[in-house]
Amino acid sequence: MCGGIRAGVIASLFSGLVESGAALACSFHYYVPEKTAADWLLGDTDIILARPAQDNAFAFAPVEVLRGTGPAEPLPHLVDSVMRRKMALYPKHAVLFGRNPEGDWQRISYVNEDYRSVIDRVLGNASDWGNGFGQERFSLFASLIDHPDAAIRYLALREVDKAPYEMLRQMDSALSSQELLAEMWTREGYPFQSIRVLLLGLTGEDSARTEVQDFFDRTRGWDYARNLGAFATALVELDGVDGLARLETTLLEDSTQQLDKLEQVVEALAIQNGVGTPGLRNAIRKTLATLVERRPEAAILVARHFSNRNDWSQGRTLNLVMQQRTVQNPSDQFAIASYVNRAQRQSNPAD
C-alpha cells in the first residue's frame, strides 16, 4: 500500500485536476444556475421591498428595508405599464430587490401577500439556518411545492432541487405523477425538469414508469440527452435491478455512446449506490466492472462521481484497471490511483 505522503500527493493532484476542469464535469441535481430568493434572504447583502415612487410612477422606490441599508439614489429599474396597473390594483404588493456583489440592485421577485409570508418565515429562521441547506429549510420548501401560487411553487422546486437525494427520498411529496408530468415538457417547466423527474421516480406510479422508460427509448440514439442523469436515477428508483438492466442494454453496452452522455448515468449510479439495498449495490458494482472492462476510458467517470460522494466501494474494480494499465491519459491515471489508494485505506485503516 502507498504511504501517506504519496497518497497526499496523488489526492492533491486529483483535486487540482478536477478543479481545473481537466476532468469532465457534470451535475444534474446539485447545480442551480442562479441564486434563489431564499439565498438572497439568507445572505449578507442589502435587501429591500420597493413599489412605484409616489412622485414618479415609472421608477421604483423602497418601501421597506428587510436587511442592511436601502439605496442612496433611485433604483435603476423602470416600472412598466403592466406593473404599474398591477401595483395600483394591489397596494400591498411589492418587488423584492437585493444588492449584488458589484453594488447594483438586482430585481429578485414579485411579492404578493402569500410570497411575503414565505419571506417572513425565511427571515424569521435566518439566524438558525445561516446560508446553508439543512433539514428545516428543506422541510419548509418541500411543503410548498404544490402551492397554488406559481412563483412560490417554482421557488420551492428550486430549493428542493438543492437537497441531497437521500433527503428527497424521505420527502412526503404531495405531487402525483400526473401533476409532475403536466409541466414536464413545457417552456415554463423545463428549468425544473430535473427535480420533477427525480420526484417522479419517487412516486412509484405506473405513469411515472412509462414516462421514464419512454425517455430512454427515445434518446438512446442521441449524442447527448439533457437531464439523462435525473431520468437514470428515476429509472433505478422505480425498477431497481431491472431498471439497472435497462440502462445496460440501452446505453452502457453500446460502445458508440459518448462518454459525456454516459457520465450522467454513472453519476446516477453513484447516487443510487449511496441509498440502495445491498442487492442493488452489488448489481451496480458488477455493472460498472463490466463497463470499465469493456471501455477503460470510462473508469475516470467512476472514480470522479464515487469519490465526490466519499463512496469507496469501487476500489477493487478500479484497481484492476490500474493493474492492467488500460488507462492512457495521465491525469485520469492520477485520479483513478487516488481513488484506489483512498479505497484501500478505508478497507485497511490501520495501514
Side-chain angles (χ1 to χ4, degrees), residues 26 266 292:
C26 172
V266 173
V292 299

Side-chain angles (χ1 to χ4, degrees), residues 48-271:
I48 65 169
L49 291 174
R51 285 180 53 84
Q54 292 185 352
D55 58 349
N56 182 1
F58 296 92
F60 281 105
V63 293
E64 184 177 353
V65 176
L66 299 179
R67 186 181 59 241
T69 59
E73 53 191 32
L75 291 168
H77 294 268
L78 292 176
V79 185
D80 60 37
S81 58
V82 174
M83 182 63 69
R84 288 197 301 275
R85 289 194 294 270
K86 197 170 184 178
M87 288 290 185
L89 286 173
Y90 302 102
K92 292 185 178 181
H93 292 192
V95 175
L96 184 68
F97 284 91
R99 198 192 301 269
N100 63 30
E102 291 73 32
D104 301 319
W105 287 94
Q106 183 171 325
R107 181 169 170 168
I108 302 171
S109 63
Y110 185 85
V111 178
N112 59 18
E113 290 90 344
D114 287 340
Y115 206 102
R116 177 59 193 265
S117 176
V118 175
I119 288 175
D120 290 342
R121 292 175 70 180
V122 172
L123 290 176
N125 287 286
S127 59
D128 295 328
W129 293 358
N131 57 5
F133 191 88
Q135 182 64 50
E136 291 185 1
R137 180 173 173 178
F138 171 75
S139 296
L140 169 61
F141 288 102
S143 70
L144 297 172
I145 61 171
D146 61 341
H147 197 280
D149 186 288
I152 294 175
R153 189 166 65 250
Y154 292 160
L155 171 61
L157 286 169
R158 287 282 192 206
E159 284 288 305
V160 169
D161 194 36
K162 299 176 182 181
Y165 189 66
E166 55 268 26
M167 190 179 286
L168 280 185
R169 294 178 91 240
Q170 301 168 9
M171 176 178 163
D172 183 18
S173 175
L175 296 177
S176 66
S177 60
Q178 287 77 14
E179 290 171 308
L180 290 165
L181 288 169
E183 293 185 81
M184 183 77 73
W185 301 102
T186 65
R187 184 180 64 180
E188 294 78 11
Y190 196 70
F192 311 96
Q193 188 181 79
S194 64
I195 182 59
R196 289 183 189 278
V197 172
L198 293 172
L199 294 177
L200 192 66
L202 294 170
T203 66
E205 298 176 10
D206 287 341
S207 55
R209 182 172 289 104
T210 298
E211 179 71 24
V212 172
Q213 291 179 353
D214 285 351
F215 175 85
F216 285 96
D217 292 338
R218 292 197 311 273
T219 62
R220 65 183 302 172
W222 297 5
D223 289 340
Y224 187 83
R226 185 175 175 85
N227 291 324
L228 176 62
F231 277 98
T233 304
L235 179 63
V236 176
E237 188 69 41
L238 287 162
D239 293 336
V241 174
D242 289 341
L244 179 61
R246 181 180 285 265
L247 288 176
E248 288 188 87
T249 57
T250 57
L251 294 172
L252 299 178
E253 292 178 355
D254 183 357
S255 61
T256 66
Q257 295 290 339
Q258 298 185 27
L259 281 187
D260 60 350
K261 183 178 179 182
L262 295 187
E263 176 142 17
Q264 298 180 72
V265 177
V266 173
E267 183 177 10
L269 296 185
I271 290 172

